[in-house]
Amino acid sequence: MEITSQVLTLIGVATGAAVSFVVSAMNERTRWNRQQSVRWDERRLSAYSEYAYVVKELSNQYRQMAIARGIAAGSVALAPTGPALEAVAAVETRRSALAESLWLLGDVEANTAVVKLNYALWHLEYLACGIPTTGIATWDEAYIEFREAHNNFLLAARHDLGVQGTRIRHEVPWPPPWRVTD
């Protein structure tokens, strides 16, 4: 009887140690996965926000160039001189590099939204630079297309980051109702 009780005690201790090891390993794995998730979420957030900022910067510069060409309304014009075009090209190079980061970090929906936003942004560039395009012909129409693509990009980025909600703003008309149009 004494050997049986010793064997049962040893089995109990071994089982307890095994269960303790398995639970500890599972907890450690869960903690590691959570840390990795937070790490990649932070990088995705940074990539999305930097890209959105650069896209906004480019759209503002294209708008100022369009004002200089007389196809958009506004008070700040940017004449397409050599230094101005070089500055715009530098920002475009940064946008392109940031887009590559998004290809690595984003999901399919966000990456598709990036492509559509790039197309809309390049359409603004073409109009601002006087390069002929087909389809949407006016600045305001192209800017509406850009705003929709920008909004869709932000929604896709929010979804990829797990941010709650499917809307980021209420519909606001473009151009604003106070703007005088020709």
Side-chain angles (χ1 to χ4, degrees):
M1 203 49 122
E2 195 152 312
I3 291 181
T4 304
S5 102
Q6 289 177 353
V7 169
L8 288 176
T9 302
L10 285 175
I11 290 174
V13 168
T15 302
V19 168
S20 177
F21 175 77
V22 168
V23 168
S24 293
M26 288 174 56
N27 284 338
E28 184 62 26
R29 177 76 176 169
T30 300
R31 187 179 65 78
W32 186 84
N33 285 338
R34 189 173 25 254
Q35 286 175 338
Q36 291 301 308
S37 176
V38 167
R39 175 181 169 203
W40 289 112
D41 283 349
E42 288 173 355
R43 289 187 179 186
R44 279 199 311 272
L45 174 61
S46 177
Y48 285 135
S49 60
E50 285 181 50
Y51 179 79
Y53 174 80
V54 168
V55 164
K56 195 69 154 175
E57 184 178 356
L58 277 171
S59 71
N60 287 334
Q61 289 177 345
Y62 294 147
R63 184 176 157 279
Q64 291 171 351
M65 290 170 62
I67 292 167
R69 286 194 61 239
I71 61 171
S75 59
V76 180
L78 176 64
T81 61
L85 293 175
E86 287 176 14
V88 170
V91 177
E92 171 59 27
T93 299
R94 184 156 187 264
R95 186 218 50 81
S96 179
L98 289 170
E100 293 298 319
S101 295
L102 294 180
W103 281 106
L104 295 172
L105 298 171
D107 65 6
V108 173
E109 294 302 318
N111 288 341
T112 302
V114 167
V115 170
K116 291 178 180 180
L117 181 55
N118 286 341
Y119 288 172
L121 183 65
W122 293 331
H123 192 187
L124 294 181
E125 176 188 19
Y126 273 49
L127 292 172
C129 293
I131 301 169
T133 64
T134 60
I136 299 171
T138 70
W139 176 265
D140 284 341
E141 292 170 329
Y143 195 77
I144 288 171
E145 176 187 55
F146 166 77
R147 283 174 41 119
E148 289 173 6
H150 188 258
N151 186 52
N152 290 337
F153 163 72
L154 293 175
L155 287 172
R158 287 169 54 97
H159 183 266
D160 186 29
L161 292 168
V163 176
Q164 298 296 315
T166 58
R167 292 180 66 184
I168 57 174
R169 64 176 167 76
H170 293 288
E171 290 305 314
V172 179
W174 182 264
W178 48 262
R179 189 177 113 190
V180 177
T181 56
D182 298 334

